[in-house]
Amino acid sequence: MDKIRMTTPLVEMDGDEMTRILWQMIKDKLILPFVDLKTEYYDLGLLHRNETKDQVTVDAANATKKYGVAVKCATITPNKQRMEEYPQLTEMWKSPNGTIRSILDGTVFRAPICIDAIKPVVKNWKKPITIARHAYGDVYKSVDFHTEEPGECTMTFKGVSGEEHTVCVQKVDGPAVWQGAHNKDKSIRSFARACFQYAVDTKQDLWFSTKDTIAKIYDGNFKKIFEEEFEGYKAKFEELGLTYFYTLIDDAVARVIRSEGGYIWACKNYDGDVMSDMVSTAFGSLAMMTSVLVSPDGTTEYEAAHGTVTKHYYKYLKGEKTSTNPMATIFAWSGALKKRGELDGIAALTAFGEKLEEACFDTLNAGIMTRDLVGLVDEGFTAKAVTSEEFLDAVAQRLQEKLA
Ligand code: NAP
Ligand code: MG
């Protein structure tokens, strides 16, 4: 069988620990035998980031801008404990995902991979719900303090023109806490565009929720910018039969629970933090969540939502065969290959990505799955826990049959 040819390289960002092991296995067993894989490789493994003073992360993000599609392995974000574990680290390097996100000015879309054998906790959910979380500002870039005595707090904006604007936040008669938060029109606009673009790309309705009845100016600004940006997408939405739907966050929560799923739910930063954990848990497992970073110009980076699965890696280092779930990482690859195929007009590459996903579903539906999923399987289905390697072999076998 001839291998499928590619014309433009995929930006490949390698990572850390157990996911780095899975990364190589996925390439060896599921991709390289079938695709004449062209990638521009960046090693985002912690030690290489350290050696390059994190330049490799910046280079990888810039390459993504250049080529348009990337696939990324999970990476360690160093903390105090990691500094002790890796004494050669010269700095507590920032989160690669944060660095890439700010260079690409992107929005993260998280969606569950749903299978028949695992029913969502919310029984009427039939299709995946994708959460789009705004990744800039609000409480995450706020300042706060505590005061002891009675008094008044004011907030002042000083324009470069010299103009000033002051409001009284509150007068208090005793100890109090205070918080100053902001967001930028530019960031909100990028977020809105990324959401509308992704809705068009994936042919799903877009919901957006804030609390503009309370935060009339702050959240009202989000609502207004979304409305303005929607003007540029209205015709496309109509053509595809899609809806843009704005509602209050509390109303959205109630509607989401009663819905069948199958749409994108755009949330402000904090709402997205909370709701994405709720939605992903209700759908089953973190190991089945995919994550796509989309920038307003359509540049995309695919990855798994989970981390480097450290505990499994330590077992692997002791020589144990682990049952780590490679699904989300496989889907990062299939997503990126499908997108590359679409952009370059290589139907065989897009079809390969689809068949790879089908082969994964067939394997799971045959009851062959990693240990994390076996415990979640509904009554009436039988499932057997296999190692990561056995799972990948079972997928490879089915993939081969589909491609034959
Ligand atoms: P994690 O790697 O997501 O794993 C947490 C636990 O979830 C695991 O111990 C495992 O539970 C379960 N799990 C996650 N993915 C799984 C999979 N594919 N198959 C089976 N079980 C899975 O989170 P963490 O341990 O908090 O973080 C580890 C490292 O990952 C950290 O250094 C963090 O900085 C990094 N991280 C990176 C990213 C990213 O690059 N996108 C995201 C998050 C975290 P059991 O042990 O019970 O089996
Ligand atoms: Mg969180």
Side-chain angles (χ1 to χ4, degrees), residues 72 74-77 82 97 287 303 306-310 312 324-325:
K72 181 183 170 289
T75 45
I76 293 171
T77 298
R82 295 292 195 175
N97 287 43
E303 64 177 310
H306 60 77
T308 59
V309 211
T310 312
H312 293 213
T324 317
N325 191 338

Side-chain angles (χ1 to χ4, degrees), residues 72 95-112 129-136 187 190-196 198-199 202 204 206-207 226 263-269 271-273 275-277 280 286 289-296 299-306:
K72 181 183 170 289
S95 150
N97 287 43
T99 303
I100 297 165
R101 201 158 54 208
S102 68
I103 293 174
L104 296 181
D105 186 22
T107 298
V108 173
F109 296 85
R110 274 181 160 204
I129 296 168
T130 302
I131 298 270
R133 174 184 170 189
H134 186 212
Y136 177 85
S187 173
S190 288
F191 174 50
R193 275 189 211 149
C195 289
F196 289 120
Y198 195 68
T202 60
Q204 295 185 88
L206 178 67
W207 295 17
F226 264 70
Y263 49 84
I264 300 161
W265 182 13
C267 293
K268 285 178 65 198
N269 211 347
D271 297 339
D273 188 357
M275 294 309 159
S276 73
D277 278 15
S280 63
L286 190 58
M289 288 296 286
T290 60
S291 178
V292 191
L293 176 70
V294 181
S295 62
T299 300
T300 40
E301 181 238 302
Y302 294 81
E303 64 177 310
H306 60 77

Side-chain angles (χ1 to χ4, degrees), residues 26-37:
I26 291 168
K27 278 172 70 178
D28 288 343
K29 290 178 189 289
L30 300 181
I31 313 223
L32 293 171
F34 311 105
V35 180
D36 191 11
L37 187 66

Side-chain angles (χ1 to χ4, degrees), residues 175-392:
V177 281
W178 309 90
Q179 183 172 63
H182 85 290
N183 220 302
K184 296 199 254 189
D185 282 13
K186 184 168 178 271
S187 173
I188 301 167
R189 208 169 286 285
S190 288
F191 174 50
R193 275 189 211 149
C195 289
F196 289 120
Q197 185 61 45
Y198 195 68
V200 166
D201 284 351
T202 60
K203 298 185 181 59
Q204 295 185 88
D205 290 344
L206 178 67
W207 295 17
F208 179 47
S209 55
T210 73
K211 191 73 177 174
D212 69 296
T213 44
I214 301 299
K216 287 189 171 61
I217 295 179
Y218 199 110
D219 283 14
N221 194 48
F222 277 79
K223 183 182 178 189
K224 179 173 121 302
I225 289 175
F226 264 70
E227 275 164 13
E228 286 166 7
E229 287 305 318
F230 182 52
E231 287 304 312
Y233 284 91
K234 225 175 201 162
K236 196 78 202 160
F237 265 57
E238 259 167 40
E239 184 191 321
L240 294 170
L242 302 177
T243 352
Y244 166 57
F245 172 61
Y246 174 84
T247 188
L248 291 169
I249 178 81
D250 38 356
D251 179 52
V253 168
R255 285 172 188 266
V256 163
I257 297 297
R258 287 195 306 261
S259 78
E260 280 196 358
Y263 49 84
I264 300 161
W265 182 13
C267 293
K268 285 178 65 198
N269 211 347
Y270 175 80
D271 297 339
D273 188 357
V274 178
M275 294 309 159
S276 73
D277 278 15
M278 186 206 55
V279 170
S280 63
T281 306
F283 268 108
S285 157
L286 190 58
M288 295 287 273
M289 288 296 286
T290 60
S291 178
V292 191
L293 176 70
V294 181
S295 62
D297 68 1
T299 300
T300 40
E301 181 238 302
Y302 294 81
E303 64 177 310
H306 60 77
T308 59
V309 211
T310 312
K311 279 193 222 150
H312 293 213
Y313 181 58
Y314 291 149
K315 287 186 188 158
Y316 168 86
L317 288 180
K318 280 193 230 150
E320 267 181 59
K321 292 223 182 271
T322 72
S323 184
T324 317
N325 191 338
M327 279 291 289
T329 307
I330 299 173
F331 274 59
W333 275 98
S334 62
L337 291 170
K338 284 196 293 184
K339 186 77 185 174
R340 198 64 272 166
E342 264 169 46
L343 293 178
D344 295 344
I346 308 174
L349 193 59
T350 307
F352 172 80
E354 280 161 6
K355 286 189 176 130
L356 173 54
E357 292 176 2
E358 283 168 22
C360 289
F361 287 124
D362 290 353
T363 307
L364 293 171
N365 288 334
I368 303 167
M369 49 185 77
T370 45
R371 188 166 304 131
D372 56 307
L373 296 184
V374 171
L376 300 173
V377 159
D378 243 42
E379 278 170 46
F381 288 89
T382 45
K384 173 176 152 234
V386 295
T387 64
S388 304
E389 218 170 340
E390 288 164 339
F391 180 76
L392 291 172

